[in-house]
Amino acid sequence: MMASSQGREIFLKFLKKEFSSENLCFWTACENLRKIKDEKLFKEQCEEMFTTYLDDSSPQEVSLDFKVKEKVMEQRGEPTETIFDEAQSKIYTLMHRDSFPRFLTSSFYKGLLNEDQPDSKERNEKMIQQDSKMEDEGCKSEINNVSFTIDNTSDSSQNNFAQTHLSMDGESTSGTKEVSKVPIHQDSLMDPRVIRELSKDSSGSFRTVTLDTEYDKLLNLIE
């Protein structure tokens, strides 16, 4: 999600509702800082970030622990390329552990999913059509492998009978060929029976499966 500009835009709207948008803004500013190669411009941008996100009087001050903030402030006069690396990592962890789980369970996120439902329905219909096509092609390949041979034989009464034998290439006619199964689509994880089966041995695995499913929804949303 953080790698997608559209994903960050959606997440930022949610963070603004929670009055914590400065965290994502600071993380994005750190990413942009790495692209600056001019030394003078780099220092100017660093100072702007100190003023905006680290000064105590700033309304957009990010929440950093004392040791991390102190280490960054010591480099304010002579900033290096890695000056904000640790601070950015701390803010990312804060969003990942705190803000993002709340985002996935928020009414804001669910509202976005409801708006995306028509597109999701269309995607699901296409997937079903593709699965059916795969099954049809599988059946056709089985039929093409079937050959009919007709043997003409004579019996003691001089009567000729046509006998038809159904045979499979390289297999006995009495055997049953196993039909390959079509791979189960990822949407099957939505089946609550699958979730219960996966979670019967571990109480924590239910949450993992649920979040994986939400990640799939989110990816579809920002694509």
Side-chain angles (χ1 to χ4, degrees):
M1 182 173 181
M2 297 291 281
S4 165
S5 58
Q6 186 176 357
R8 292 195 301 272
E9 183 179 348
I10 292 173
F11 193 38
L12 181 61
K13 291 179 181 179
F14 168 75
L15 293 177
K16 286 180 178 180
K17 293 178 178 293
E18 290 210 328
F19 304 101
S20 58
S21 59
E22 68 277 359
N23 291 328
L24 182 55
C25 291
F26 173 73
W27 184 91
T28 303
C30 291
E31 290 294 298
N32 293 333
L33 184 66
R34 291 190 177 92
K35 302 175 184 178
I36 300 177
K37 303 303 179 181
D38 182 78
E39 183 177 354
K40 182 180 179 181
L41 185 59
F42 179 83
K43 288 185 176 181
E44 290 176 355
Q45 185 62 32
C46 283
E47 182 58 32
E48 183 177 341
M49 290 177 63
F50 274 106
T51 303
T52 305
Y53 302 112
L54 294 175
D55 280 354
D56 295 336
S57 59
S58 173
Q60 297 188 66
E61 181 188 9
V62 294
S63 179
L64 292 171
D65 62 72
F66 176 76
K67 290 184 178 180
V68 174
K69 184 174 182 179
E70 184 180 38
K71 187 185 298 186
V72 176
M73 296 299 290
E74 289 174 355
Q75 303 177 61
R76 186 168 186 171
E78 294 294 331
T80 63
E81 293 181 354
T82 60
I83 183 172
F84 294 114
D85 283 4
E86 186 177 5
Q88 183 189 25
S89 177
K90 294 291 184 181
I91 293 301
Y92 178 88
T93 301
L94 177 64
M95 291 189 293
H96 176 68
R97 294 181 177 177
D98 184 39
S99 302
F100 189 61
R102 288 205 305 275
F103 167 73
L104 291 178
T105 58
S106 68
S107 57
F108 173 78
Y109 171 63
K110 292 177 181 178
L112 293 176
L113 290 180
N114 290 334
E115 293 176 1
D116 189 55
Q117 275 185 352
D119 293 336
S120 299
K121 183 178 180 181
E122 182 178 349
R123 283 194 295 267
N124 290 336
E125 289 176 351
K126 289 182 179 179
M127 290 173 185
I128 293 173
Q129 291 175 358
Q130 291 175 356
D131 290 343
S132 299
K133 184 178 180 181
M134 290 174 64
E135 291 177 350
D136 291 342
E137 291 177 352
C139 292
K140 289 179 181 179
S141 64
E142 292 293 333
I143 293 174
N144 291 335
N145 288 331
V146 176
S147 63
F148 291 91
T149 61
I150 301 177
D151 296 334
N152 295 323
T153 59
S154 300
D155 56 13
S156 58
S157 62
Q158 302 297 318
N159 294 324
N160 295 328
F161 297 93
Q163 297 180 343
T164 303
H165 302 278
L166 177 65
S167 62
M168 302 295 292
D169 292 342
E171 295 184 7
S172 172
T173 54
S174 60
T176 302
K177 186 170 183 179
E178 183 179 355
V179 180
S180 61
K181 297 181 179 179
V182 178
I184 300 175
H185 190 267
Q186 186 69 17
D187 286 346
S188 63
L189 291 177
M190 290 295 292
D191 188 344
R193 292 173 297 179
V194 177
I195 293 175
R196 284 197 296 271
E197 182 179 351
L198 292 175
S199 63
K200 63 182 179 181
D201 296 326
S202 172
S203 58
S205 62
F206 176 82
R207 177 174 175 79
T208 300
V209 173
T210 302
L211 286 181
D212 285 345
T213 303
E214 293 301 327
Y215 291 153
D216 290 338
K217 292 180 183 178
L218 183 57
L219 289 175
N220 288 332
L221 182 64
I222 64 179
E223 283 180 351

